[in-house]
Amino acid sequence: MPSYTVTVATGSQWFAGTDDYVYLSLEGTAGCSERHLLDKPFYNDFERGAVDSYDVTVEEDLGEIQLIKIEKRKYWYQDDWYLKYITVKTPVGDYLEFPCYRWITDEKEIVLRDGRAKLARDDKTQILKQHRRKELETRQKMYRWKEWHPGFPLSIDAHSHSDLPRDIQFDNEKGIDFILNYSKAMENLYVNRFMHMFQSSWSDFADFERIFVRISNTISEYVMQHWKEDFMFGYQFLNGCNPVLIRRCTEIPKKLPVTMDMVECSLERNLSLEEEVKQGNVFIVDYELLDGVDANKTDPCTIQYLAAPICLLYKNLENKIVPIAIQLSQKPGPDNPIFLPSDATYDWLLAKIWVRSSDFHIHQTVTHLLRTHLVSEVFSIAMFRQLPAVHPLFKLLVPHMRFTIAINTKAREQLICECGLFDKANATGGGGHVQMVQKAMKDLTYSSLCFPEEIKAKGMDSKEDIPYYYYRDDGIKVWEAIKSFAEDVIHIYYESDEMVCEDVELQAFVKDIYVYGMRGVKASGFPKMIRTREKLAEYLTVIIFTTSAQHAAVNFGQYDWCSWIPNAPPTMRRPPPTEKGTVTIEQIVESLPDRGRSCWHLGAVWALSQFQDNELFLGMYPDEHFVEKPVKEAMAKFRKNLDEIVNAITERNKNKKLPYYYLSPDRIPNSVAV
């Protein structure tokens, strides 16, 4: 009688093993096997990290094996099992791989196809077509769209982390408990004694050092030492944790009535302001989005304030970007002066602090939350709903969706919900962050997620003109590496543009993102359909870059740049100044966050800047969803390209006081998971 050798690999994460009964059935082109209990006498099967082999004997040859059915039945109590993969050695000596990488819960069964990626057009038999259809029908019931707030991209229909499908939950929910992590962070930073001291002001700037952890030779310490200096203020627009707002100024806006007399002492080329603008030496950052946003009113004992400043910057003869004018509100007038470097020291310092506070709000809510977290969740939900596990694009994208829906669900549960942790320390808490996302949706376009295109649209693409924009330089290298990888995979499975057009599952995936994620807004520029391999490569690059590199660039520098509170105040407790010559050091300190809010802020930026345990970085694919040699070769080429980028960045950063490493591939997690 024909005999098959079945090898079963159990996951190595906590509680992956099971004591339940596990049954296996083989289904081939010539027939189906009986249900076989996988069990060895006097042996503990399916332990965590184990690889177990079993002989399965059948009465007659089954033909080519198409499907494997795994059933789990309770032994004593419900015992979830994480199955990595199964391999089958056929009677003629062929090896078949069946990737799973899923949890099997309760008394459930799952049906697996072999690991070769297939488009819908490749499935010729009814049994494979039916399996494909049933998988998507089941997933679409599990992964449902829901509106969290009007105007937001739709998110997963789940009230809490425990409501999510088991396959996308964190292995250890405690590890991503925001309340627990923030409290631990404050304990680790030795600031927990201050965390309840709301309304209690610091006495001066030096007093902030009482909660500042000094770690030798780090960016955060350098920021603390130089944060008042104009070069440090300007540098952050290029390489801080929000390097996405600065754009070349082509015309001074009417709402910022800066004159040559005001800025003449800041210009270094003996040119007029108009000539400097024409030569491309003037840049602008406009926080108009914050205009009209309600400040946090959740604490009646502390009035909090927001501003919507406009900041004009200048490239000096050393090619450094420095501020030359700041207006703290959008509407010009006598009570809205334009602050200048030539003003009194504290006037100019407070104006810069207001800009840094506004930058923090845009960074947290728009750059970080909306444009990486919420967008990545849209990609994740659409993928699970429309791409079966056998589809090559599912296999390509699933590592970049790891834990994204889970972290966002946990954030809605604890962090950015009503009365959540975000309300404790941030001036945009209490609903302001919701208004900001709603306003920012109009600028969330497909082209703005295409990294090189967005850099060019802002006039920031010239390395000659702007030589120290490392975010741009490293980002383009990573973008190109991802795009090359995506092209390699696409050309393996799509022989022509016609095959792209005919892939109904791909087109449903693209449509889901447009209709539900972008709310069907035509102006978003998101495609409703993809017709060419070239466009598909760009589309996949947008998804992978956003979920990996873009998130890394704007997330993991938060402690570096925001831990020194005066450099990134999460709230301001005094209104913006309306006249010059009146600002004192006492007024500045009273404007900055109190001791309690400072500590909550510090705990937040520390916790958000930490990598996950067992983090998987860009190019690391330990779960072998692909089994074909050409794809594995494409992965090896991708890793080689990434290694070259790592080496180039490491070499550039040598001996730099301010190294830029957020887009080094060895520090870019595969997915949005923190």
Side-chain angles (χ1 to χ4, degrees):
M1 291 190 293
S3 179
Y4 296 81
T5 302
V6 175
T7 302
V8 181
T10 298
S12 56
Q13 58 268 65
W14 287 105
F15 310 113
T18 187
D19 289 326
D20 284 355
Y21 296 110
V22 174
Y23 297 88
L24 175 139
S25 308
L26 301 173
E27 192 162 344
T29 51
C32 302
S33 75
E34 295 290 321
R35 191 174 75 149
H36 290 264
L37 174 65
L38 300 181
D39 182 46
K40 295 180 191 174
F42 311 109
Y43 178 76
N44 204 346
D45 305 274
F46 315 119
E47 287 293 281
R48 174 185 166 209
V51 178
D52 302 313
S53 292
Y54 304 87
D55 290 327
V56 174
T57 303
V58 297
E59 292 184 1
E60 55 188 39
D61 184 58
L62 301 176
E64 183 184 346
I65 301 299
Q66 294 189 311
L67 299 173
I68 284 181
K69 182 190 287 186
I70 299 289
E71 300 173 63
K72 188 169 74 66
R73 296 292 178 255
K74 186 168 67 173
Y75 169 67
W76 183 251
Y77 58 92
Q78 294 297 348
D79 192 12
D80 295 349
W81 178 40
Y82 188 86
L83 172 60
K84 287 175 68 178
Y85 61 82
I86 291 176
T87 62
V88 175
K89 182 183 177 184
T90 67
V92 296
D94 293 337
Y95 280 89
L96 301 174
E97 298 178 52
F98 293 80
C100 181
Y101 302 105
R102 288 161 56 191
W103 287 94
I104 304 177
T105 60
D106 304 324
E107 294 195 328
K108 295 280 179 66
E109 63 181 50
I110 61 168
V111 181
L112 302 177
R113 287 184 57 163
D114 79 82
R116 292 169 296 174
K118 300 288 183 182
L119 300 175
R121 60 178 280 162
D122 299 325
D123 287 344
K124 306 302 182 187
T125 64
Q126 198 59 39
I127 187 172
L128 294 180
K129 290 178 181 179
Q130 185 180 8
H131 174 264
R132 199 175 194 115
R133 187 175 65 251
K134 279 185 70 176
E135 181 184 8
L136 288 181
E137 286 172 355
T138 302
R139 289 236 216 100
Q140 285 164 12
K141 291 174 184 174
M142 295 169 65
Y143 295 87
R144 301 174 306 278
W145 295 104
K146 181 182 179 182
E147 183 179 70
W148 184 42
H149 285 294
F152 274 47
L154 295 193
S155 50
I156 195 77
D157 183 6
H159 294 291
S160 65
H161 180 265
S162 58
D163 292 338
L164 295 172
R166 183 68 178 90
D167 288 329
I168 60 169
Q169 291 181 25
F170 280 99
D171 296 330
N172 176 13
E173 190 176 353
K174 283 185 179 178
I176 47 92
D177 186 296
F178 286 106
I179 297 171
L180 184 65
N181 286 350
Y182 282 24
S183 300
K184 275 185 183 175
M186 286 185 278
E187 188 176 327
N188 291 339
L189 297 168
Y190 306 107
V191 299
N192 46 341
R193 65 188 185 279
F194 298 113
M195 61 186 286
H196 301 297
M197 297 173 68
F198 290 90
Q199 290 84 51
S200 172
S201 296
W202 303 96
S203 54
D204 53 31
F205 292 138
D207 207 17
F208 281 99
E209 291 190 42
R210 295 176 66 185
I211 63 163
F212 184 76
V213 178
R214 287 199 187 199
I215 305 170
S216 182
N217 298 321
T218 61
I219 291 173
S220 55
E221 185 173 3
Y222 195 86
V223 171
M224 182 195 75
Q225 293 165 349
H226 298 278
W227 71 281
K228 295 180 186 177
E229 298 167 32
D230 287 353
F231 96 88
M232 174 60 81
F233 179 87
Y235 179 86
Q236 293 178 73
F237 288 112
L238 299 177
N239 300 309
C241 63
N242 193 26
V244 304
L245 298 184
I246 189 170
R247 61 173 60 244
R248 198 184 292 272
C249 182
T250 54
E251 183 182 7
I252 304 294
K254 290 180 181 177
K255 63 183 180 180
L256 181 64
V258 174
T259 65
M260 178 63 182
D261 287 344
M262 290 180 183
V263 298
E264 187 173 10
C265 62
S266 297
L267 308 181
E268 299 181 355
R269 293 176 176 84
N270 295 320
L271 300 174
S272 68
L273 178 59
E274 189 178 324
E275 289 169 331
E276 293 277 18
V277 169
K278 281 182 181 175
Q279 286 204 6
N281 297 322
V282 180
F283 302 83
I284 193 166
V285 180
D286 189 347
Y287 297 92
E288 183 179 14
L289 187 102
L290 284 162
D291 193 30
V293 171
D294 294 330
N296 192 339
K297 296 182 177 66
T298 58
D299 180 0
C301 299
T302 303
I303 302 175
Q304 301 179 60
Y305 297 90
L306 293 168
I310 309 168
C311 181
L312 208 62
L313 300 122
Y314 176 68
K315 184 184 72 173
N316 65 20
L317 291 174
E318 295 179 329
N319 284 324
K320 290 179 178 175
I321 304 291
V322 293
I324 57 172
I326 293 171
Q327 182 178 285
L328 295 180
S329 300
Q330 292 286 309
K331 191 174 178 182
D335 59 349
N336 185 20
I338 295 174
F339 292 94
L340 308 165
S342 55
D343 289 340
T345 301
Y346 290 139
D347 284 1
W348 181 235
L349 182 60
L350 183 56
K352 288 191 293 181
I353 288 172
W354 268 106
V355 171
R356 293 295 310 141
S357 182
S358 301
D359 195 79
F360 175 81
H361 297 310
I362 295 288
H363 166 261
Q364 288 293 354
T365 303
V366 180
T367 307
H368 185 206
L369 173 62
L370 172 60
R371 297 180 69 88
T372 63
H373 277 262
L374 299 185
V375 168
S376 296
E377 183 175 1
V378 166
F379 298 149
S380 298
I381 299 170
M383 180 197 72
F384 283 113
R385 286 174 54 81
Q386 303 299 347
L387 298 177
V390 72
H391 197 290
L393 299 188
F394 179 90
K395 293 171 180 284
L396 176 67
L397 294 177
V398 70
H400 303 287
M401 309 299 165
R402 180 175 179 252
F403 299 145
T404 297
I405 298 174
I407 195 69
N408 285 4
T409 302
K410 201 70 182 174
R412 286 188 288 269
E413 196 181 340
Q414 292 184 326
L415 185 62
I416 49 178
C417 55
E418 191 174 345
C419 303
L421 291 173
F422 195 79
D423 290 356
K424 283 187 177 291
N426 294 283
T428 49
H433 60 301
V434 174
Q435 296 170 14
M436 289 173 69
V437 170
Q438 290 166 335
K439 292 174 76 171
M441 279 296 289
K442 74 179 191 306
D443 298 317
L444 180 58
T445 61
Y446 178 76
S447 63
S448 73
L449 297 179
C450 293
F451 189 83
E453 205 172 319
E454 175 68 353
I455 293 287
K456 191 171 185 179
K458 287 183 160 69
M460 301 295 293
D461 52 316
S462 173
K463 290 188 181 183
E464 267 185 30
D465 288 351
I466 314 158
Y468 304 121
Y469 198 10
Y470 305 127
Y471 163 74
R472 170 203 61 205
D473 300 342
D474 298 352
I476 286 175
K477 287 178 184 176
V478 174
W479 172 276
E480 292 299 332
I482 293 171
K483 189 176 181 187
S484 175
F485 176 48
E487 288 169 344
D488 289 345
V489 174
I490 287 166
H491 281 83
I492 292 168
Y493 296 102
Y494 296 90
E495 294 175 2
S496 64
D497 292 343
E498 186 182 7
M499 287 181 68
V500 173
C501 291
E502 291 174 354
D503 186 349
V504 292
E505 291 164 341
L506 162 64
Q507 303 304 341
F509 168 64
V510 171
K511 186 178 178 183
D512 241 30
I513 289 170
Y514 172 73
V515 171
Y516 298 106
M518 298 309 124
R519 310 303 297 269
V521 176
K522 195 173 181 181
S524 72
F526 269 77
K528 302 177 193 176
M529 183 178 182
I530 289 178
R531 294 180 169 84
T532 67
R533 292 189 293 177
E534 182 183 5
K535 193 66 178 177
L536 177 57
E538 180 188 77
Y539 195 83
L540 295 174
T541 305
V542 165
I543 293 173
I544 296 172
F545 186 88
T546 301
T547 57
S548 58
Q550 189 60 40
H551 179 256
V554 302
N555 181 74
F556 293 103
Q558 290 189 75
Y559 186 78
D560 287 347
W561 296 99
C562 303
S563 57
W564 180 246
I565 308 292
N567 188 59
T571 189
M572 297 291 275
R573 297 180 298 141
R574 295 287 182 272
T578 56
E579 57 182 344
K580 295 186 181 186
T582 61
V583 179
T584 63
I585 181 66
E586 290 77 22
Q587 183 182 339
I588 293 177
V589 172
E590 286 173 7
S591 296
L592 290 168
D594 56 39
R595 294 168 190 250
R597 286 179 176 83
S598 296
C599 294
W600 277 101
H601 167 82
L602 199 60
V605 297
W606 171 272
L608 291 171
S609 299
Q610 306 306 305
F611 293 121
Q612 286 282 339
D613 291 338
N614 304 316
E615 191 71 82
L616 297 176
F617 295 97
L618 193 58
M620 293 171 61
Y621 301 117
D623 292 357
E624 295 189 45
H625 292 277
F626 283 110
V627 300
E628 298 96 319
K629 186 178 178 182
V631 189
K632 292 188 176 183
E633 289 171 350
M635 287 178 174
K637 177 186 162 187
F638 182 40
R639 281 190 290 272
K640 183 173 180 289
N641 290 341
L642 294 175
D643 287 343
E644 288 173 2
I645 296 170
V646 170
N647 293 336
I649 291 172
T650 302
E651 187 63 31
R652 182 199 64 209
N653 283 339
K654 277 183 181 176
N655 303 318
K656 277 194 182 300
K657 292 178 180 175
L658 282 173
Y660 186 82
Y661 43 67
Y662 308 114
L663 282 170
S664 183
D666 59 345
R667 299 174 69 100
I668 299 175
N670 265 333
S671 62
V672 177
V674 64

